[in-house]
């Protein structure tokens, strides 16, 4: 069975590399390790649906069911050898091959001419303010310590990347705002 790659599927397979786990534990680790900043977990049902699909594809397998009087029964899942191989293949593909991921912001920019330049500048200014806050949040994440010790850099590479991308976007918006203010960038709003 061919399984379509997704970041959520890769996160589940990657976390199961550390050993068998139940879905709640996976969800908790995704959040605890900050992987929810780069993996769209969505609602808990999304995680459970993905687990079912991964099991049907033979990439993970159900093991024992844990019973604890404080919680409902929890099925523990294990990574299969095929799941480990698929995860490593996906990881190699993601790290080596740039891909157009169709983020919303560039899509919005592609229709900015529908707004008056002043309105576009105001909206981009608001985005710039949000980016300033996000940059501070990401910097705080990089400076986080656990038990008084810094988190190893390898565990924060996605945060470093997000910070670099956010700083680059903020600088780009600064340039666009400067061009809008000076009049070197302008247009007459209307249909494309």
């Amino acid at each position: 069975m061919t399984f379509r790659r997704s970041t959520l599927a890769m996160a589940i397979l990657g976390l199961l590399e550390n050993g068998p786990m139940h879905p709640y534990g996976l969800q908790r680790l995704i959040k605890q390790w900050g992987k929810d900043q780069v993996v769209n977990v969505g609602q808990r049902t999304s995680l459970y649906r993905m687990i079912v699909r991964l099991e049907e594809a033979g990439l993970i397998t159900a093991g024992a069911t844990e019973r604890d009087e404080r919680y409902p029964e929890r099925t523990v899942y294990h990574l299969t050898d095929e799941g480990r191989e698929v995860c490593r293949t996906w990881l190699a593909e993601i790290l080596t091959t740039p891909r157009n991921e169709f983020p919303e912001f560039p899509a919005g920019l592609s229709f900015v001419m529908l707004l008056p330049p002043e309105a576009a500048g105001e909206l981009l200014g608001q985005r710039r303010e949000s980016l300033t806050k996000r940059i501070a949040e990401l910097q705080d994440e990089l400076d986080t310590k656990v038990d008084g010790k810094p988190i190893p850099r390898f565990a924060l590479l996605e945060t470093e990347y997000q910070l670099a991308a956010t700083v680059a976007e903020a600088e780009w918006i600064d340039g666009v705002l400067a061009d809008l203010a000076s009049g070197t960038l302008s247009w007459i709003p209307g249909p494309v």
Side-chain angles (χ1 to χ4, degrees), residues 140-155:
D140 285 346
E141 286 180 38
L142 289 176
D143 295 337
T144 299
K145 296 186 186 306
V146 175
D147 298 327
K149 296 179 183 175
I151 297 172
R153 184 172 179 216
F154 68 82

Side-chain angles (χ1 to χ4, degrees), residues 3-136:
F3 196 94
R4 187 169 171 250
R5 179 178 84 205
S6 78
T7 55
L8 179 56
M10 190 180 72
I12 293 167
L13 297 176
L15 290 172
L16 288 176
E17 285 267 355
N18 293 316
M21 212 174 307
H22 52 76
Y24 177 76
L26 288 165
Q27 183 182 26
R28 193 179 73 240
L29 270 184
I30 288 170
K31 177 82 172 145
Q32 190 176 45
W33 290 2
K35 303 306 181 198
D36 59 333
Q37 299 295 312
V38 293
V39 174
N40 185 6
V41 179
Q43 299 174 330
R44 186 177 296 173
T45 55
S46 302
L47 179 74
Y48 285 96
R49 278 194 301 262
M50 183 60 71
I51 287 171
V52 167
R53 290 181 54 227
L54 289 168
E55 185 178 22
E56 288 172 351
L59 303 179
I60 63 175
T61 185
T65 300
E66 293 181 352
R67 288 173 172 55
D68 184 327
E69 59 194 43
R70 296 174 294 168
Y71 304 105
E73 287 184 352
R74 295 179 174 173
T75 302
V76 175
Y77 291 89
H78 302 260
L79 184 63
T80 64
D81 289 339
E82 183 181 358
R84 182 173 288 105
E85 183 179 322
V86 164
C87 184
R88 301 269 164 82
T89 299
W90 288 349
L91 186 56
E93 290 170 358
I94 289 169
L95 291 176
T96 59
T97 310
R99 191 176 114 179
N100 192 356
E101 297 171 349
F102 304 103
E104 289 182 342
F105 182 55
L109 289 172
S110 72
F111 291 98
V112 75
M113 81 293 294
L114 298 174
L115 301 171
E118 302 78 26
E122 185 177 315
L123 296 171
L124 288 172
Q126 291 174 20
R127 184 178 184 94
R128 179 60 172 92
E129 289 175 20
S130 296
L131 291 173
T132 299
K133 291 175 186 166
R134 183 68 180 137
I135 288 167

